[in-house]
Amino acid sequence: MRAVVAVAVVSVSAVVVACSSVARAEDPNGSPATTKKAETREAMAARVIKEGLGSGRAHAMLTELCTKVGHRLSGSKGAENAVAWAKKTMEDMGLENVRLEPIMVPHWVRGPVEEAVVTGSGLPAAGHPLKVCALGGSIKTPEDGITAEVLEVHSFDELRKAGDKARGKIIFFNRPFDKTLFDGFRMYGGAVEQRANGAMEAEKAGGVAALVRSMTARRDDVPHTGAMYYRDSAAKRVPSAAVSTIGAEWLSAALKENPNLKLRLKLSCETLADVPSANVVGEVVGSERPNEVVVIGGHLDSWDKGQGAHDDGSGCVHCLEAVRLITELKLRPKRTIRAVMFMNEENGLRGGEGYAAASRPGEKTIAAIESDAGGFMPRGFGVGGGPAVYKAVAKWAPLFTSIDADRFKEGGGGGDIGPLGAKGVPLFGLAVHSQRYFDFHHSDNDVIDGVHERELELGGIAMALMSYLIADNGLPGR
Ligand SMILES: [Zn+2]
């Protein structure tokens, strides 16, 4: 035990030493006032790191959200419970001005039936079931399903070129993640149009449904849901489902053996009337300029799969832990830090849009930081707002070195804070290791067991440091 404590002390002093040299670099004259302030910053960082890694609070909060609330798609009972949970959690940690900001949200429900089975008799594949789930926003199939031949394609271009061959078919979009790319989000970005727009393209080509390979590089039998879109209310609509990667590979092989095999797809999902809901807001009020605000946020809603542990329970907890650390350690920045648990990022963005559209007289938003990439090891931040902001923020990077989160890159943002960016607010995003996120994303895999306690804590620490530094120091031009 003692040896462990000794190591901890050494590493904290290493932080102080590393950061002191930076403080001198910032202030070539080394004036006593500046040196004192810089030392305070380093001491602040050391205290935040120690409390964040020692308290176990971040993981306890996420465990509670995942196990007591569970998944929480907009409009659901789970989402309503999540709003109550977030408000109480903020109140219990002593945040100021805790409140709900009401919005209306879409209400799509999955329903009990999700099924894709090879039909016919006598074929080796007859009766083979595939693991599928409806994509968010899809219409249902007729009660006895849609039974049709399947056309496999890997791009919208290939579908267009298929011409009449697509008519009356279930269009099977089977382009996998490009595993030659390093970044998980780039792999996702290269494939996700199939999920988002597959139903539209299938319908335009004369198809009767869309079946989309799950958005993951992992080979398993778990389908991943996510948002899909229709052209407009006047256009014809076809149902759309995701199939597991194992199911997609099985189907592709079966189609090579028998191109005429038929699938029966049954879905019972539907869109109901909009429902009242809310963003949940709490603050650490600034000591000198309370009307200048740094927004930090994640999204409280999740898909109706798993527990939304990484997406975006972890992002919410990163923000809650950040303001908890700042409150607990009695750090009071000059400007206000406002934690916002946004509702409805996944299938509507009504929370982010509603927050940005609300009138807040006399108030100025200095910056907005989002965490929505999972509870993995933090690496740094994407920093928006232009070169001057980046230059100012990059000077703080050494304060993040001891937790290995000092990689700052120009350009940042997040879904929920996007509408604030459109109003000129500099946007920041917490960057985390991206290799494993899409193993979990939007699926039954996304449960608390997949989130590592210390990695989650480190993300909360990084958010605390960045939000405090911006709130206390301001940003150039803001
Ligand atoms: Zn998310």
Side-chain angles (χ1 to χ4, degrees):
M1 281 303 284
R2 190 163 291 178
V4 173
V5 171
V7 169
V9 169
V10 168
S11 67
V12 169
S13 27
V15 175
V16 174
V17 171
C19 297
S20 301
S21 61
V22 173
R24 280 195 295 274
E26 263 182 288
D27 176 22
N29 302 320
S31 74
T34 313
T35 305
K36 186 161 177 280
K37 191 172 178 212
E39 279 167 357
T40 302
R41 234 184 240 170
E42 291 140 13
M44 177 277 295
R47 285 199 296 139
V48 168
I49 292 166
K50 194 174 174 189
E51 168 68 18
L53 286 176
S55 72
R57 283 300 302 142
H59 198 258
M61 276 191 272
L62 186 60
T63 302
E64 202 174 82
L65 176 62
C66 287
T67 58
K68 291 197 177 158
V69 175
H71 62 62
R72 45 199 179 274
L73 183 59
S74 294
S76 68
K77 185 71 187 156
E80 194 184 317
N81 292 343
V83 167
W85 174 86
K87 181 166 180 280
K88 181 164 191 313
T89 302
M90 286 180 171
E91 285 165 350
D92 289 350
M93 67 173 64
L95 294 193
E96 296 152 283
N97 303 323
V98 175
R99 61 192 183 267
L100 305 185
E101 296 190 351
I103 45 161
M104 294 298 287
V105 294
H107 189 199
W108 177 84
V109 292
R110 180 168 301 283
V113 181
E114 296 185 309
E115 182 186 299
V117 183
V118 178
T119 63
S121 56
L123 296 169
H128 185 95
L130 300 171
K131 287 277 171 61
V132 297
C133 70
L135 290 176
S138 176
I139 59 166
K140 61 182 160 191
T141 64
E143 218 165 293
D144 52 356
I146 288 173
T147 302
E149 288 184 3
V150 178
L151 176 69
E152 177 179 354
V153 296
H154 300 87
S155 68
F156 296 152
D157 206 37
E158 187 184 342
L159 175 58
R160 280 175 214 122
K161 284 180 184 150
D164 276 353
K165 276 196 276 180
R167 297 216 160 271
K169 303 258 175 77
I170 294 172
I171 310 301
F172 169 37
F173 295 96
N174 193 27
R175 183 167 84 251
F177 274 22
D178 178 356
K179 290 192 188 182
T180 64
L181 300 172
F182 167 73
D183 186 82
F185 288 89
R186 284 189 64 205
M187 291 197 290
Y188 177 71
V192 72
E193 63 172 9
Q194 301 174 100
R195 186 195 79 205
N197 302 332
M200 272 189 252
E201 295 296 327
E203 178 272 311
K204 280 195 254 170
V208 291
L211 184 65
V212 183
R213 181 188 180 98
S214 283
M215 293 297 124
T216 179
R218 178 160 141 164
R219 192 184 143 80
D220 66 13
D221 212 10
V222 180
H224 294 233
T225 191
M228 54 77 60
Y229 305 98
Y230 291 117
R231 270 196 285 175
D232 55 60
S233 52
K236 188 170 172 277
R237 297 179 170 202
V238 300
S240 183
V243 58
S244 70
T245 50
I246 283 182
E249 283 172 23
W250 183 92
L251 182 59
S252 182
L255 286 166
K256 286 182 182 77
E257 296 249 313
N258 177 11
N260 301 117
L261 77 72
K262 285 187 177 177
L263 269 189
R264 186 180 64 238
L265 179 68
K266 277 190 194 176
L267 302 173
S268 60
C269 46
E270 59 185 322
T271 299
L272 308 175
D274 286 3
V275 183
S277 186
N279 295 326
V280 187
V281 178
E283 297 173 349
V284 176
V285 175
S287 60
E288 291 182 15
R289 302 178 180 194
N291 292 333
E292 297 185 9
V293 176
V294 177
V295 169
I296 62 173
H299 63 85
L300 194 52
D301 63 309
S302 74
W303 279 107
D304 56 343
K305 290 281 181 189
Q307 298 170 334
H310 280 292
D311 188 11
D312 186 25
S314 291
C316 290
V317 166
H318 282 155
C319 299
L320 291 170
E321 174 69 348
V323 282
R324 186 195 72 82
L325 288 167
I326 288 163
T327 305
E328 178 73 27
L329 298 172
K330 302 198 166 33
L331 294 163
R332 171 121 1 223
K334 292 179 186 140
R335 297 163 187 81
T336 295
I337 300 175
R338 177 178 298 153
V340 184
M341 307 288 98
F342 291 98
M343 181 50 69
N344 187 228
E345 189 271 351
E346 295 291 5
N347 63 337
L349 210 63
R350 302 273 185 89
E353 284 168 354
Y355 180 88
S359 157
R360 302 173 200 278
E363 183 175 303
K364 183 177 178 188
T365 308
I366 300 301
I369 317 175
E370 180 143 1
S371 170
D372 187 15
F376 302 98
M377 184 68 202
R379 305 315 315 274
F381 286 87
V383 178
V389 170
Y390 178 76
K391 203 175 156 201
V393 171
K395 288 185 181 164
W396 300 329
L399 293 164
F400 296 76
T401 299
S402 73
I403 59 164
D404 209 11
D406 57 358
R407 298 174 190 206
F408 297 176
K409 288 185 182 161
E410 255 195 279
D416 299 289
I417 59 174
L420 286 174
K423 298 176 93 177
V425 174
L427 303 185
F428 290 58
L430 177 69
V432 301
H433 256 298
S434 68
Q435 296 308 315
R436 287 179 291 141
Y437 185 51
F438 294 97
D439 295 2
F440 301 95
H441 186 250
H442 299 180
S443 79
D444 283 336
N445 295 334
D446 191 9
V447 293
I448 184 67
D449 288 353
V451 180
H452 190 275
E453 184 167 344
R454 287 176 65 81
E455 293 188 354
L456 180 73
E457 288 163 359
L458 289 162
I461 290 166
M463 288 294 280
L465 293 178
M466 183 56 83
S467 56
Y468 178 82
L469 287 165
I470 298 173
D472 206 48
N473 296 284
L475 290 175
R478 296 303 297 168

